[in-house]
Amino acid sequence: MPEARPPAPDLDAEQEVDFGRYWSMIAARWWLPVGLLVAGLVIGYLVSLGTNSTTYRATAQVYLGQPLAPDSGAPVSSAPTNLGLVSNFAGAESTIRRVASQVGLRPSRLRGHVTTKPILGITNAKLGTPAPLLAITVTGSPPAKVAAAANALADAVVAKVSTYTGTKIQALEDQLSFDESQLKDVDRRITDTNRQQQVILASQGLGASEKLIASVNFNNVLIFLENRRASLERDRLDVRQLLSLAREVESARIIASASATTVSGTNARTGAAIGGLIGLIVGILAALLWDPIAARSRAHTG
Protein backbone atom coordinates (compact mmCIF):
# COMPACT_ATOMS: atom_id res chain seq x y z
CA MET A 1 0.00 0.00 0.00
CA PRO A 2 1.22 3.42 -0.78
CA GLU A 3 2.66 5.35 2.08
CA ALA A 4 0.21 7.94 3.49
CA ARG A 5 1.31 11.51 2.98
CA PRO A 6 0.75 14.08 5.69
CA PRO A 7 -1.98 16.60 4.85
CA ALA A 8 -0.95 19.92 3.37
CA PRO A 9 -0.75 22.71 5.91
CA ASP A 10 -3.76 24.97 6.07
CA LEU A 11 -2.30 28.40 5.31
CA ASP A 12 -5.55 30.17 6.02
CA ALA A 13 -5.72 28.57 9.44
CA GLU A 14 -2.12 29.64 10.15
CA GLN A 15 -2.95 33.21 9.05
CA GLU A 16 -6.00 33.16 11.31
CA VAL A 17 -3.83 31.98 14.18
CA ASP A 18 -1.27 34.72 13.46
CA PHE A 19 -3.90 37.45 13.26
CA GLY A 20 -5.50 36.15 16.39
CA ARG A 21 -2.15 36.19 18.18
CA TYR A 22 -1.49 39.76 17.02
CA TRP A 23 -4.89 40.85 18.19
CA SER A 24 -4.33 39.19 21.55
CA MET A 25 -1.03 41.04 21.91
CA ILE A 26 -2.70 44.36 21.12
CA ALA A 27 -5.64 43.61 23.44
CA ALA A 28 -3.28 42.69 26.26
CA ARG A 29 -1.57 46.03 25.99
CA TRP A 30 -4.64 48.06 24.99
CA TRP A 31 -3.57 50.99 27.09
CA LEU A 32 -0.58 51.61 24.77
CA PRO A 33 -2.61 52.36 21.57
CA VAL A 34 -5.26 54.23 23.56
CA GLY A 35 -2.77 56.26 25.55
CA LEU A 36 -0.64 57.19 22.53
CA LEU A 37 -3.79 57.97 20.53
CA VAL A 38 -4.89 60.49 23.17
CA ALA A 39 -1.36 61.89 23.44
CA GLY A 40 -1.18 62.27 19.66
CA LEU A 41 -4.51 64.08 19.57
CA VAL A 42 -3.38 66.55 22.22
CA ILE A 43 0.07 67.12 20.72
CA GLY A 44 -1.29 67.52 17.19
CA TYR A 45 -3.89 70.00 18.41
CA LEU A 46 -1.34 72.09 20.31
CA VAL A 47 1.17 72.07 17.46
CA SER A 48 -1.47 73.19 14.94
CA LEU A 49 -2.43 76.08 17.23
CA GLY A 50 1.14 77.27 17.54
CA THR A 51 2.08 76.88 13.90
CA ASN A 52 0.93 79.30 11.18
CA SER A 53 0.94 76.94 8.22
CA THR A 54 -1.72 78.71 6.16
CA THR A 55 -0.64 79.45 2.60
CA TYR A 56 -2.04 82.34 0.59
CA ARG A 57 -2.13 83.03 -3.13
CA ALA A 58 -2.35 86.44 -4.82
CA THR A 59 -2.60 86.95 -8.58
CA ALA A 60 -2.22 90.18 -10.52
CA GLN A 61 -3.32 90.29 -14.17
CA VAL A 62 -1.22 92.43 -16.50
CA TYR A 63 -1.94 93.62 -20.02
CA LEU A 64 1.47 93.90 -21.71
CA GLY A 65 0.25 96.28 -24.40
CA GLN A 66 0.56 96.10 -28.17
CA PRO A 67 3.03 98.70 -29.54
CA LEU A 68 2.29 99.99 -33.04
CA ALA A 69 4.67 101.38 -35.66
CA PRO A 70 4.52 105.21 -35.86
CA ASP A 71 3.79 105.40 -39.60
CA SER A 72 2.00 102.23 -40.68
CA GLY A 73 0.20 101.42 -37.44
CA ALA A 74 1.25 97.78 -37.79
CA PRO A 75 1.89 95.81 -34.57
CA VAL A 76 5.51 95.89 -33.48
CA SER A 77 6.98 92.56 -32.37
CA SER A 78 9.29 93.60 -29.55
CA ALA A 79 11.19 91.82 -26.80
CA PRO A 80 9.36 93.53 -23.90
CA THR A 81 5.99 92.16 -25.02
CA ASN A 82 7.28 88.61 -25.50
CA LEU A 83 5.53 86.52 -22.84
CA GLY A 84 8.53 84.25 -22.32
CA LEU A 85 10.98 87.09 -21.78
CA VAL A 86 8.58 88.91 -19.48
CA SER A 87 8.11 85.74 -17.43
CA ASN A 88 11.88 85.39 -17.08
CA PHE A 89 12.12 89.00 -15.98
CA ALA A 90 9.42 88.54 -13.32
CA GLY A 91 11.28 85.57 -11.85
CA ALA A 92 14.79 87.00 -12.18
CA GLU A 93 16.88 87.25 -9.02
CA SER A 94 17.34 91.01 -9.39
CA THR A 95 13.59 91.50 -9.66
CA ILE A 96 12.92 89.19 -6.71
CA ARG A 97 15.40 91.08 -4.51
CA ARG A 98 14.04 94.49 -5.46
CA VAL A 99 10.40 93.52 -4.87
CA ALA A 100 11.20 91.68 -1.62
CA SER A 101 12.93 94.79 -0.27
CA GLN A 102 10.01 96.94 -1.41
CA VAL A 103 7.30 94.90 0.38
CA GLY A 104 9.33 93.90 3.44
CA LEU A 105 9.94 90.19 2.74
CA ARG A 106 13.09 88.14 2.66
CA PRO A 107 14.07 87.18 -0.90
CA SER A 108 13.87 83.51 0.10
CA ARG A 109 10.13 83.97 0.80
CA LEU A 110 9.63 84.97 -2.85
CA ARG A 111 12.27 82.89 -4.58
CA GLY A 112 10.53 79.86 -6.07
CA HIS A 113 7.10 81.18 -5.09
CA VAL A 114 6.48 83.37 -8.15
CA THR A 115 4.73 81.91 -11.20
CA THR A 116 3.62 83.51 -14.44
CA LYS A 117 1.02 82.17 -16.83
CA PRO A 118 -0.36 83.58 -20.11
CA ILE A 119 -4.09 84.29 -20.09
CA LEU A 120 -5.47 82.80 -23.29
CA GLY A 121 -8.75 83.19 -25.10
CA ILE A 122 -8.93 87.01 -25.09
CA THR A 123 -8.63 88.93 -28.35
CA ASN A 124 -7.79 92.59 -28.87
CA ALA A 125 -10.92 93.87 -30.61
CA LYS A 126 -9.22 96.91 -32.13
CA LEU A 127 -6.40 94.92 -33.70
CA GLY A 128 -7.97 91.49 -34.15
CA THR A 129 -4.93 89.85 -32.56
CA PRO A 130 -4.52 87.94 -29.28
CA ALA A 131 -4.07 90.34 -26.40
CA PRO A 132 -0.79 89.76 -24.49
CA LEU A 133 -2.16 89.08 -21.01
CA LEU A 134 -0.11 87.64 -18.18
CA ALA A 135 -1.10 86.39 -14.71
CA ILE A 136 1.57 86.89 -12.04
CA THR A 137 0.98 84.75 -8.95
CA VAL A 138 2.78 84.82 -5.59
CA THR A 139 2.21 82.19 -2.88
CA GLY A 140 3.22 82.35 0.76
CA SER A 141 2.38 84.38 3.85
CA PRO A 142 1.46 86.77 5.37
CA PRO A 143 -1.45 87.60 3.04
CA ALA A 144 -0.94 91.39 2.93
CA LYS A 145 2.70 91.07 1.86
CA VAL A 146 1.90 88.31 -0.62
CA ALA A 147 -0.64 90.58 -2.35
CA ALA A 148 1.78 93.54 -2.19
CA ALA A 149 4.52 91.42 -3.78
CA ALA A 150 2.25 90.33 -6.65
CA ASN A 151 1.23 93.94 -7.31
CA ALA A 152 4.84 95.14 -7.09
CA LEU A 153 5.92 92.48 -9.61
CA ALA A 154 3.09 93.59 -11.90
CA ASP A 155 4.25 97.21 -11.60
CA ALA A 156 7.81 96.15 -12.41
CA VAL A 157 6.63 94.27 -15.51
CA VAL A 158 4.53 97.24 -16.68
CA ALA A 159 7.52 99.57 -16.26
CA LYS A 160 9.77 97.12 -18.12
CA VAL A 161 7.56 96.83 -21.20
CA SER A 162 6.42 100.48 -21.35
CA THR A 163 9.61 102.20 -22.50
CA TYR A 164 8.72 102.48 -26.20
CA THR A 165 5.06 103.30 -25.65
CA GLY A 166 5.89 105.81 -22.92
CA THR A 167 8.22 107.68 -25.25
CA LYS A 168 5.57 107.63 -27.97
CA ILE A 169 2.88 108.97 -25.64
CA GLN A 170 5.18 111.76 -24.46
CA ALA A 171 5.88 112.79 -28.06
CA LEU A 172 2.14 112.81 -28.86
CA GLU A 173 1.39 114.85 -25.75
CA ASP A 174 4.07 117.36 -26.75
CA GLN A 175 2.57 117.57 -30.25
CA LEU A 176 -0.90 118.08 -28.80
CA SER A 177 0.37 120.86 -26.51
CA PHE A 178 2.07 122.54 -29.50
CA ASP A 179 -1.11 122.38 -31.60
CA GLU A 180 -3.21 123.84 -28.81
CA SER A 181 -0.75 126.69 -28.20
CA GLN A 182 -0.65 127.43 -31.94
CA LEU A 183 -4.46 127.46 -32.08
CA LYS A 184 -4.57 129.98 -29.24
CA ASP A 185 -2.05 132.15 -31.08
CA VAL A 186 -4.03 131.96 -34.34
CA ASP A 187 -7.27 132.85 -32.53
CA ARG A 188 -5.57 135.84 -30.97
CA ARG A 189 -4.21 136.99 -34.35
CA ILE A 190 -7.65 136.60 -35.97
CA THR A 191 -9.20 138.70 -33.20
CA ASP A 192 -6.50 141.40 -33.57
CA THR A 193 -6.81 141.43 -37.36
CA ASN A 194 -10.60 141.88 -37.21
CA ARG A 195 -10.25 144.71 -34.73
CA GLN A 196 -7.61 146.49 -36.83
CA GLN A 197 -9.75 146.08 -39.92
CA GLN A 198 -12.72 147.68 -38.21
CA VAL A 199 -10.58 150.59 -36.96
CA ILE A 200 -9.07 151.31 -40.38
CA LEU A 201 -12.35 150.99 -42.27
CA ALA A 202 -13.96 153.41 -39.81
CA SER A 203 -11.16 155.94 -40.18
CA GLN A 204 -12.16 159.28 -41.78
CA GLY A 205 -8.66 160.01 -43.07
CA LEU A 206 -8.61 157.29 -45.74
CA GLY A 207 -10.25 157.45 -49.13
CA ALA A 208 -12.47 154.80 -50.63
CA SER A 209 -9.68 153.26 -52.72
CA GLU A 210 -7.33 153.05 -49.74
CA LYS A 211 -10.00 151.44 -47.62
CA LEU A 212 -10.69 148.92 -50.41
CA ILE A 213 -7.00 147.97 -50.63
CA ALA A 214 -6.79 147.67 -46.83
CA SER A 215 -9.92 145.52 -46.75
CA VAL A 216 -8.49 143.18 -49.39
CA ASN A 217 -5.23 142.86 -47.48
CA PHE A 218 -7.02 142.15 -44.21
CA ASN A 219 -9.22 139.56 -45.89
CA ASN A 220 -6.15 137.79 -47.31
CA VAL A 221 -4.59 137.70 -43.86
CA LEU A 222 -7.81 136.36 -42.36
CA ILE A 223 -8.07 133.67 -45.04
CA PHE A 224 -4.51 132.57 -44.29
CA LEU A 225 -5.19 132.48 -40.57
CA GLU A 226 -8.43 130.53 -41.02
CA ASN A 227 -6.65 127.97 -43.21
CA ARG A 228 -3.90 127.73 -40.62
CA ARG A 229 -6.49 127.24 -37.91
CA ALA A 230 -8.27 124.46 -39.87
CA SER A 231 -4.95 122.69 -40.45
CA LEU A 232 -4.09 122.85 -36.76
CA GLU A 233 -7.51 121.50 -35.77
CA ARG A 234 -7.15 118.54 -38.14
CA ASP A 235 -3.70 117.81 -36.78
CA ARG A 236 -4.98 118.09 -33.19
CA LEU A 237 -7.79 115.63 -33.97
CA ASP A 238 -5.32 113.13 -35.47
CA VAL A 239 -2.98 113.47 -32.49
CA ARG A 240 -5.85 112.93 -30.05
CA GLN A 241 -6.84 109.74 -31.85
CA LEU A 242 -3.25 108.46 -31.86
CA LEU A 243 -2.88 109.38 -28.20
CA SER A 244 -6.07 107.53 -27.30
CA LEU A 245 -4.87 104.47 -29.23
CA ALA A 246 -1.49 104.59 -27.50
CA ARG A 247 -3.03 104.86 -24.05
CA GLU A 248 -5.79 102.28 -24.45
CA VAL A 249 -4.21 99.69 -26.74
CA GLU A 250 -0.45 100.14 -26.86
CA SER A 251 0.19 100.86 -23.19
CA ALA A 252 0.81 98.11 -20.64
CA ARG A 253 -1.22 98.28 -17.45
CA ILE A 254 -2.52 96.23 -14.55
CA ILE A 255 -6.07 95.14 -15.35
CA ALA A 256 -6.69 93.30 -12.06
CA SER A 257 -4.79 93.97 -8.84
CA ALA A 258 -3.81 91.08 -6.60
CA SER A 259 -5.78 90.11 -3.50
CA ALA A 260 -4.68 87.27 -1.22
CA THR A 261 -6.86 84.21 -0.83
CA THR A 262 -6.33 81.08 1.27
CA VAL A 263 -4.83 78.12 -0.56
CA SER A 264 -4.37 75.59 2.21
CA GLY A 265 -3.65 75.36 5.88
CA THR A 266 -3.59 72.94 8.74
CA ASN A 267 -6.36 73.81 11.18
CA ALA A 268 -6.63 72.52 14.74
CA ARG A 269 -8.96 69.66 13.81
CA THR A 270 -6.70 68.42 11.03
CA GLY A 271 -3.63 68.70 13.24
CA ALA A 272 -5.30 66.69 16.01
CA ALA A 273 -6.41 63.99 13.55
CA ILE A 274 -2.91 63.63 12.12
CA GLY A 275 -1.36 63.50 15.58
CA GLY A 276 -3.91 60.97 16.78
CA LEU A 277 -3.32 58.71 13.77
CA ILE A 278 0.43 58.77 14.32
CA GLY A 279 -0.05 58.05 18.02
CA LEU A 280 -2.37 55.11 17.30
CA ILE A 281 0.10 53.55 14.84
CA VAL A 282 2.99 53.94 17.29
CA GLY A 283 0.83 52.48 20.09
CA ILE A 284 -0.08 49.38 18.04
CA LEU A 285 3.59 48.81 17.16
CA ALA A 286 4.55 49.22 20.79
CA ALA A 287 1.91 46.67 21.86
CA LEU A 288 3.13 44.15 19.27
CA LEU A 289 6.79 44.57 20.21
CA TRP A 290 6.25 44.68 23.96
CA ASP A 291 6.60 40.94 24.65
CA PRO A 292 9.63 40.31 22.35
CA ILE A 293 11.46 43.30 23.81
CA ALA A 294 10.53 42.32 27.38
CA ALA A 295 11.69 38.71 26.79
CA ARG A 296 15.01 39.86 25.36
CA SER A 297 15.48 42.22 28.27
CA ARG A 298 14.85 39.39 30.78
CA ALA A 299 17.27 37.15 28.92
CA HIS A 300 20.02 39.74 29.15
CA THR A 301 19.38 40.43 32.82
CA GLY A 302 19.18 36.70 33.67
Side-chain angles (χ1 to χ4, degrees), residues 70-130:
D71 298 328
S72 64
V76 177
S77 178
S78 58
T81 57
N82 183 286
L83 290 173
L85 294 178
V86 173
S87 298
N88 290 336
F89 168 76
E93 180 65 21
S94 58
T95 307
I96 293 296
R97 289 181 177 273
R98 184 170 65 255
V99 170
S101 175
Q102 180 179 342
V103 302
L105 283 173
R106 295 192 303 271
S108 60
R109 300 288 296 274
L110 284 181
R111 193 180 298 114
H113 298 278
V114 177
T115 58
T116 57
K117 182 180 180 180
I119 302 175
L120 305 177
I122 302 177
T123 301
N124 191 323
K126 292 189 177 183
L127 300 176
T129 58

Side-chain angles (χ1 to χ4, degrees), residues 197-297:
Q197 184 180 23
Q198 291 173 3
V199 170
I200 290 177
L201 292 179
S203 174
Q204 300 296 327
L206 295 178
S209 60
E210 293 174 330
K211 289 182 178 181
L212 178 61
I213 293 174
S215 179
V216 171
N217 290 335
F218 277 116
N219 287 335
N220 289 335
V221 172
L222 289 171
I223 291 173
F224 170 77
L225 292 175
E226 290 292 344
N227 289 336
R228 172 64 176 162
R229 191 177 193 285
S231 176
L232 287 170
E233 286 182 341
R234 287 193 299 269
D235 187 69
R236 183 175 64 173
L237 178 61
D238 292 339
V239 172
R240 283 177 173 173
Q241 291 176 340
L242 291 174
L243 190 57
S244 176
L245 184 65
R247 288 171 174 169
E248 296 179 11
V249 177
E250 299 184 62
S251 296
R253 60 186 179 274
I254 299 175
I255 60 175
S257 298
S259 180
T261 57
T262 303
V263 177
S264 63
T266 303
N267 54 30
R269 183 179 299 176
T270 304
I274 295 174
L277 178 61
I278 294 175
L280 179 62
I281 295 174
V282 173
I284 292 174
L285 292 176
L288 293 174
L289 297 176
W290 182 278
D291 289 337
I293 293 176
R296 183 176 299 178
S297 177

Side-chain angles (χ1 to χ4, degrees), residues 12-249:
D12 293 336
E14 291 186 0
Q15 289 180 353
E16 290 179 0
V17 171
D18 289 340
F19 285 127
R21 182 167 58 87
Y22 293 153
W23 175 251
S24 299
M25 295 170 64
I26 295 173
R29 303 285 186 269
W30 61 267
W31 47 271
L32 283 173
V34 173
L36 291 178
L37 170 64
V38 174
L41 289 172
V42 174
I43 294 173
Y45 179 80
L46 295 177
V47 169
S48 64
L49 289 181
T51 304
N52 181 17
S53 58
T54 304
T55 302
Y56 297 88
R57 175 188 293 121
T59 300
Q61 297 181 3
V62 179
Y63 171 63
L64 300 179
Q66 180 55 74
L68 303 176
D71 298 328
S72 64
V76 177
S77 178
S78 58
T81 57
N82 183 286
L83 290 173
L85 294 178
V86 173
S87 298
N88 290 336
F89 168 76
E93 180 65 21
S94 58
T95 307
I96 293 296
R97 289 181 177 273
R98 184 170 65 255
V99 170
S101 175
Q102 180 179 342
V103 302
L105 283 173
R106 295 192 303 271
S108 60
R109 300 288 296 274
L110 284 181
R111 193 180 298 114
H113 298 278
V114 177
T115 58
T116 57
K117 182 180 180 180
I119 302 175
L120 305 177
I122 302 177
T123 301
N124 191 323
K126 292 189 177 183
L127 300 176
T129 58
L133 299 175
L134 187 70
I136 301 176
T137 301
V138 177
T139 57
S141 62
K145 292 186 177 181
V146 168
N151 289 325
L153 284 168
D155 288 333
V157 167
V158 169
K160 180 69 174 178
V161 303
S162 297
T163 304
Y164 168 77
T165 306
T167 302
K168 185 176 183 179
I169 289 176
Q170 184 61 54
L172 291 172
E173 289 176 343
D174 293 342
Q175 180 64 42
L176 184 60
S177 298
F178 175 78
D179 289 343
E180 290 177 344
S181 65
Q182 289 295 302
L183 280 169
K184 291 179 180 179
D185 182 66
V186 168
D187 289 339
R188 180 183 56 79
R189 292 173 63 185
I190 290 175
T191 300
D192 292 343
T193 301
N194 283 324
R195 184 172 58 252
Q196 292 173 7
Q197 184 180 23
Q198 291 173 3
V199 170
I200 290 177
L201 292 179
S203 174
Q204 300 296 327
L206 295 178
S209 60
E210 293 174 330
K211 289 182 178 181
L212 178 61
I213 293 174
S215 179
V216 171
N217 290 335
F218 277 116
N219 287 335
N220 289 335
V221 172
L222 289 171
I223 291 173
F224 170 77
L225 292 175
E226 290 292 344
N227 289 336
R228 172 64 176 162
R229 191 177 193 285
S231 176
L232 287 170
E233 286 182 341
R234 287 193 299 269
D235 187 69
R236 183 175 64 173
L237 178 61
D238 292 339
V239 172
R240 283 177 173 173
Q241 291 176 340
L242 291 174
L243 190 57
S244 176
L245 184 65
R247 288 171 174 169
E248 296 179 11
V249 177

